[in-house]
């Protein structure tokens, strides 16, 4: 069975600092990988996705993520955090070529200090 | 429609009452998913519809929970004899058959059982 671990429940960074949110997955092959962001009272918005090819993927809002097969990781990064990035971030995995449900991590809450 | 629409956005109900939550997916999306998000928790998969196939109900927590999808479009999640532990945000998402663009989530229904 596939699973996702986000080891950091809560991260605090200062505005303008760099950010890295960790995501590790368990899956038999290379899964589809996603990062979503959820602002308070809102649904989840897709930031970026990895299906195959270049292991460094670019997303919206200046985010990027790198797929590392050897480490079963898909960490999310941003070079300079803005106050509006404060939100909860979810990593998810899914079966390639299938629309079956995604498995989500438990989320990382990001606080941005002025 | 342009996005996934969920109604109501908030629902307060008395313990023991039945509730119905509605999801209107993006037009043309053949896959529809229901997830539950409890306070401080990740997303718990409930049920998945794909076209005319039998739904995957493997995530439904008890037989008090049921869902249907009429005409391959609108879906209703029904919770019978609600309990306080059913209090959560119920999120609906839809995707194309191959999920190439990932899920699109609705804003959710916040259910409070008092």
């Amino acid at each position: 069975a596939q699973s996702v671990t986000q080891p950091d429940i809560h991260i605090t960074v200062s505005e303008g600092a760099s950010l890295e949110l960790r995501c590790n997955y368990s899956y038999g092959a290379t899964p589809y990988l996603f990062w979503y962001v959820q602002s308070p009272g809102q649904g989840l918005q897709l930031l970026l996705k990895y299906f195959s090819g270049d292991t460094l993927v670019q997303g919206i809002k200046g985010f990027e993520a790198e797929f590392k097969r050897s480490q079963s990781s898909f960490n999310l990064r941003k070079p300079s955090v803005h106050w509006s990035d404060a939100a909860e971030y979810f990593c998810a995995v899914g079966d390639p070529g299938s629309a079956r449900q995604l498995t989500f991590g438990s989320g990382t809450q990001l606080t941005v200090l002025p | 429609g342009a996005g996934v629409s969920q109604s109501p956005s908030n629902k307060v109900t008395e313990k023991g009452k039945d509730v119905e939550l509605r999801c209107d997916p993006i037009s043309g999306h053949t896959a529809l998913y229901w997830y539950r998000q409890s306070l401080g928790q990740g997303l718990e998969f409930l049920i998945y519809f794909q076209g005319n196939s039998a739904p995957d109900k493997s995530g439904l927590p008890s037989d008090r929970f049921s869902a249907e999808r009429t005409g391959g479009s609108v879906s209703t999640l029904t919770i019978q004899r609600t309990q306080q532990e059913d209090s959560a945000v119920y999120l609906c998402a839809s995707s194309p058959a191959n999920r190439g663009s990932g899920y699109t989530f609705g804003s959710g229904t916040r259910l409070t059982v008092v």
Side-chain angles (χ1 to χ4, degrees):
Chain A
Q2 58 199 31
S3 65
V4 180
T5 302
Q6 293 181 248
D8 303 306
I9 297 173
H10 194 179
I11 284 184
T12 300
V13 299
S14 297
E15 191 170 18
S18 63
L19 171 70
E20 182 169 28
L21 302 182
R22 295 184 290 165
C23 172
N24 293 97
Y25 66 89
S26 174
Y27 188 76
T30 299
Y32 283 179
L33 294 160
F34 304 83
W35 274 99
Y36 286 85
V37 61
Q38 185 180 33
S39 298
Q42 301 296 313
L44 279 72
Q45 181 184 20
L46 179 66
L47 284 176
L48 48 78
K49 60 192 177 190
Y50 173 79
F51 288 174
S52 65
D54 191 347
T55 57
L56 184 64
V57 293
Q58 303 296 321
I60 62 171
K61 304 185 180 187
F63 285 92
E64 66 178 27
E66 186 172 13
F67 168 60
K68 293 186 177 180
R69 184 192 309 274
S70 61
Q71 299 177 18
S72 297
S73 69
F74 189 56
N75 294 350
L76 182 72
R77 301 194 294 246
K78 187 169 184 177
S80 177
V81 171
H82 189 263
W83 65 266
S84 60
D85 293 325
E88 188 152 24
Y89 292 80
F90 293 92
C91 182
V93 301
D95 289 325
S98 165
R100 295 194 63 79
Q101 63 272 17
L102 301 181
T103 300
F104 286 83
S106 55
T108 298
Q109 182 69 46
L110 175 65
T111 297
V112 180
L113 301 177
Chain B
V4 177
S5 178
Q6 291 189 247
S7 60
S9 55
N10 280 283
K11 176 72 175 179
V12 179
T13 189
E14 293 181 352
K15 178 181 174 181
K17 300 283 190 181
D18 298 351
V19 295
E20 285 189 352
L21 312 180
R22 176 187 169 103
C23 173
D24 200 342
I26 291 175
S27 178
H29 279 192
T30 59
L32 186 147
Y33 314 81
W34 283 97
Y35 283 81
R36 178 168 70 175
Q37 185 177 28
S38 302
L39 188 62
Q41 302 296 312
L43 277 74
E44 175 190 6
F45 165 73
L46 297 178
I47 189 168
Y48 155 59
F49 296 89
Q50 172 62 284
N52 295 321
S53 302
D56 178 350
K57 305 179 182 179
S58 60
L60 295 178
S62 77
D63 59 9
R64 296 186 296 105
F65 287 72
S66 63
E68 64 177 18
R69 188 179 185 191
T70 54
S73 180
V74 172
S75 177
T76 302
L77 177 68
T78 301
I79 309 173
Q80 296 179 311
R81 304 180 303 281
T82 52
Q83 304 295 313
Q84 287 187 329
E85 61 263 28
D86 300 333
S87 297
V89 175
Y90 290 81
L91 291 165
C92 176
S94 68
S95 79
N98 62 5
R99 203 175 55 203
S101 58
Y103 286 4
T104 301
F105 278 88
S107 298
T109 294
R110 180 174 298 279
L111 175 66
T112 304
V113 182
V114 298

